[in-house]
Amino acid sequence: MFFTPNPHSGVPIYLQLIGQVKHAIETGALKPGEQLPGIRKVAEDLVINPNTVAKAYRELEHAGVIELQQGLGAFVAENASKRSDQIRRAQPALRGAIDRMVNLGLSEEQMRRLFESELIRLREDAGEV
Amino acid sequence: MFFTPNPHSGVPIYLQLIGQVKHAIETGALKPGEQLPGIRKVAEDLVINPNTVAKAYRELEHAGVIELQQGLGAFVAENASKRSDQIRRAQPALRGAIDRMVNLGLSEEQMRRLFESELIRLREDAGEV
Amino acid sequence: MFFTPNPHSGVPIYLQLIGQVKHAIETGALKPGEQLPGIRKVAEDLVINPNTVAKAYRELEHAGVIELQQGLGAFVAENASKRSDQIRRAQPALRGAIDRMVNLGLSEEQMRRLFESELIRLREDAGEV
Amino acid sequence: MFFTPNPHSGVPIYLQLIGQVKHAIETGALKPGEQLPGIRKVAEDLVINPNTVAKAYRELEHAGVIELQQGLGAFVAENASKRSDQIRRAQPALRGAIDRMVNLGLSEEQMRRLFESELIRLREDAGEV
DNA sequence: GTGGTCTAGACCACG
DNA sequence: GTGGTCTAGACCACC
């Protein structure tokens, strides 16, 4: 399956879907021109309301990331490719850190909190320079 | 300052405050019995509404993390949490990964998306076992 | 109408609403799975602020008594409560006592004070055993 | 001891104290001219703030129920005697009903909810006449 | 339509 | 001073 939103993260589902599509494109998992799964199919698979999926697709179209073609489906925009090899190069480091956290027994929530606190530190460091 | 919610992250502010208090306790930055800053003070510092802070505090209380005492203030519960040295031990690894991502030029959004996608992979790996 | 809070009793309105929902469930007037009236409807009927109703519903949810579902409404939790036939069996006796007090000309306040003083005696009797 | 406020009933403590003094006078347990326990003593016994007791006494004085005499203490007002034999006559009936509820295993909370719901029914019956 | 979040601001209860 | 309750009203998320 393609999408895996987390209903307990506090982030609205449609925003999670948007993030996941963007991420898939950034990493090359989705290529320009490629077709996205249909709204109804996604909604059924995830047991959520089709409107929620539709809203995510609409915003993605509005952001120029995908193109919605009446009756045909949704496709990754040709010029959407902010695909970044940097991200794929960064992945191993992050995966290593996550493995470390998992081995230390941290819960997903704790990992997320630690991650966010480090991002905050980043912002503060940047601000102080 | 103590709290640093991000109003644009899509996560409700009060949930961010909750996460930050929990994280502060988990890392030992806040110790059992210690007093939290008053509702009005936090609200002023962050330029948000006192009700929003109050909501976070109230949910923390009902989660057993803090204790609210009329006329006295908010205090970290004595049995609040298994403050986790694991988290502090995990911190360097995560910080290293974030440094790597920053050096590769990733935006905060991209880092967050990558992080979430790795958490999803975790869940899937766990589910498949 | 469903709810009848008394704004002059000194007890916060939202606590009165909570008590009335619990009581309705305990007596079987509200059954598991049944939908509660919407927040706005209750607020309009009682001429109180929707936030006050929302607060009552939210606390009922976190007490496991009802379930709030985004976009759908509020429902009595399936495992909400041991609906208690005992309560219905107790009702006639209490009603008789209240009739007696009314006939003797007691005010509602006096009845409430007498009732509370008897509960105190109960607690003391229990404590002394 | 004289006062037994219940901190979990939702009713402010000072209101409970007021109610208990009034009730004691109504039933003759406190007679006109009789001295009430001192503010500090009550506060110590109940482990509450003296201000809370002082507030209760102040409101009772304002209501003409007691008289505060500087340096001497608080005394039941001579003309306070709304003492009502009706209340004492009503007591057995109520006590019987409460015994019945206790025997049926009702909790104090459930009894209070049932009592309040019957009072509501009273109000409604009166209104409809 | 539902509930959820947030704001602005008044007033109360309690220490 | 602290937290607690309530109001009025805007806007968002989801079905």
Side-chain angles (χ1 to χ4, degrees):
Chain A
M1 197 193 309
F2 214 66
F3 299 116
T4 31
N6 176 359
H8 304 300
S9 73
V11 183
I13 291 173
Y14 82 97
L15 285 180
Q16 295 185 49
L17 298 183
I18 289 173
Q20 288 173 22
V21 170
K22 285 185 178 174
H23 185 255
I25 294 173
E26 285 166 354
T27 57
L30 271 178
K31 292 181 179 49
E34 196 169 338
Q35 182 165 12
L36 290 159
I39 288 180
R40 286 174 203 160
K41 174 150 197 333
V42 173
E44 277 176 26
D45 286 351
L46 304 181
V47 195
I48 60 179
N49 192 293
N51 288 338
T52 303
V53 185
K55 177 162 190 178
Y57 277 25
R58 219 181 309 127
E59 301 227 343
L60 281 166
E61 184 187 34
H62 184 76
V65 176
I66 67 173
E67 289 170 3
L68 292 174
Q69 304 193 343
Q70 270 295 358
L72 288 177
F75 300 84
V76 178
E78 288 301 335
N79 55 359
S81 67
K82 307 197 168 181
R83 169 186 165 196
S84 161
D85 285 324
Q86 321 299 352
I87 291 180
R88 298 205 304 198
R89 298 228 302 262
Q91 190 166 325
L94 183 56
R95 192 171 303 177
I98 289 182
D99 282 348
R100 168 82 171 135
M101 293 193 282
V102 169
N103 289 337
L104 281 166
L106 301 207
S107 72
E108 199 171 291
E109 266 211 330
Q110 288 175 322
M111 289 190 266
R112 195 175 275 116
R113 285 203 283 265
L114 183 53
F115 181 75
E116 291 296 333
S117 81
E118 291 302 321
L119 289 188
I120 288 169
R121 166 194 295 264
L122 258 191
R123 282 203 292 274
E124 286 173 350
D125 287 354
E128 284 169 8
V129 173
Chain B
M1 198 192 308
F2 220 69
F3 301 115
T4 36
N6 175 357
H8 305 300
S9 72
V11 183
I13 293 173
Y14 82 96
L15 285 180
Q16 296 183 49
L17 296 183
I18 288 173
Q20 288 173 21
V21 170
K22 284 185 178 173
H23 186 254
I25 294 173
E26 286 166 353
T27 57
L30 273 177
K31 292 179 179 50
E34 195 169 339
Q35 181 163 11
L36 291 159
I39 289 179
R40 287 167 176 78
K41 172 137 198 335
V42 172
E44 275 177 28
D45 286 352
L46 304 181
V47 196
I48 60 178
N49 190 288
N51 286 338
T52 303
V53 184
K55 182 168 187 177
Y57 276 25
R58 164 168 285 254
E59 299 249 320
L60 281 166
E61 182 190 37
H62 113 224
V65 176
I66 69 174
E67 287 172 5
L68 292 172
Q69 298 187 278
Q70 259 284 19
L72 288 179
F75 302 84
V76 177
E78 287 302 334
N79 54 358
S81 96
K82 12 176 167 184
R83 164 196 159 203
S84 168
D85 286 321
Q86 322 299 351
I87 291 180
R88 299 203 304 197
R89 297 227 302 263
Q91 192 167 324
L94 183 57
R95 194 171 302 177
I98 289 182
D99 283 347
R100 168 83 171 136
M101 293 192 281
V102 170
N103 289 337
L104 282 166
L106 301 207
S107 73
E108 200 172 289
E109 266 212 330
Q110 288 175 322
M111 288 190 268
R112 196 175 273 118
R113 285 203 283 266
L114 183 53
F115 181 76
E116 290 297 333
S117 80
E118 291 302 321
L119 288 188
I120 288 168
R121 166 195 297 266
L122 258 191
R123 282 204 292 276
E124 286 173 349
D125 288 354
E128 283 169 8
V129 172
Chain C
M1 196 193 309
F2 219 69
F3 301 115
T4 35
N6 175 357
H8 305 300
S9 72
V11 183
I13 295 173
Y14 82 96
L15 285 180
Q16 296 183 49
L17 296 183
I18 288 173
Q20 288 174 21
V21 171
K22 284 184 178 175
H23 186 255
I25 294 173
E26 285 165 353
T27 56
L30 273 176
K31 292 180 180 50
E34 194 170 339
Q35 182 163 10
L36 291 159
I39 289 180
R40 287 168 178 78
K41 172 136 198 338
V42 173
E44 274 176 30
D45 287 351
L46 304 180
V47 196
I48 60 178
N49 192 286
N51 287 337
T52 302
V53 185
K55 182 168 188 177
Y57 275 26
R58 163 168 287 254
E59 299 248 322
L60 281 166
E61 182 190 37
H62 112 223
V65 176
I66 68 173
E67 286 172 4
L68 292 172
Q69 297 187 276
Q70 260 284 17
L72 287 180
F75 302 83
V76 178
E78 287 302 333
N79 54 357
S81 94
K82 11 173 166 189
R83 161 192 161 208
S84 166
D85 285 321
Q86 323 298 352
I87 291 180
R88 300 203 303 195
R89 299 227 301 263
Q91 192 167 324
L94 183 57
R95 194 171 302 177
I98 289 182
D99 283 347
R100 167 84 171 134
M101 293 192 282
V102 170
N103 289 337
L104 282 165
L106 302 205
S107 72
E108 200 172 289
E109 266 210 331
Q110 287 175 321
M111 288 190 266
R112 196 175 274 117
R113 285 204 282 268
L114 184 53
F115 181 76
E116 291 296 333
S117 80
E118 291 303 319
L119 288 189
I120 288 169
R121 167 196 295 267
L122 256 192
R123 281 205 292 276
E124 286 171 349
D125 287 354
E128 282 169 11
V129 173
Chain D
M1 196 191 310
F2 214 66
F3 299 116
T4 29
N6 175 359
H8 304 299
S9 74
V11 183
I13 291 172
Y14 81 99
L15 285 180
Q16 294 185 49
L17 298 183
I18 290 172
Q20 288 173 22
V21 170
K22 285 184 178 174
H23 185 255
I25 294 173
E26 285 165 354
T27 56
L30 271 178
K31 293 181 178 51
E34 195 169 338
Q35 181 165 11
L36 291 159
I39 289 180
R40 286 174 201 159
K41 173 148 199 330
V42 173
E44 276 176 26
D45 286 352
L46 304 181
V47 197
I48 61 178
N49 193 294
N51 287 338
T52 303
V53 185
K55 177 162 190 176
Y57 277 24
R58 218 181 311 128
E59 302 228 342
L60 281 166
E61 184 186 36
H62 183 76
V65 176
I66 68 174
E67 289 172 2
L68 292 173
Q69 305 192 344
Q70 269 296 355
L72 287 178
F75 301 84
V76 178
E78 289 303 333
N79 55 356
S81 67
K82 307 197 172 183
R83 171 187 164 195
S84 160
D85 284 323
Q86 322 299 351
I87 291 180
R88 297 205 303 200
R89 298 228 302 264
Q91 190 166 325
L94 184 56
R95 193 171 300 176
I98 289 183
D99 283 347
R100 168 82 171 136
M101 292 194 282
V102 169
N103 288 338
L104 281 166
L106 301 206
S107 72
E108 200 171 292
E109 266 210 332
Q110 288 175 321
M111 288 190 266
R112 194 175 276 116
R113 285 203 283 266
L114 183 53
F115 180 75
E116 290 296 334
S117 81
E118 290 302 321
L119 288 189
I120 288 168
R121 167 194 296 263
L122 259 191
R123 281 203 292 274
E124 286 173 349
D125 287 354
E128 283 169 10
V129 174

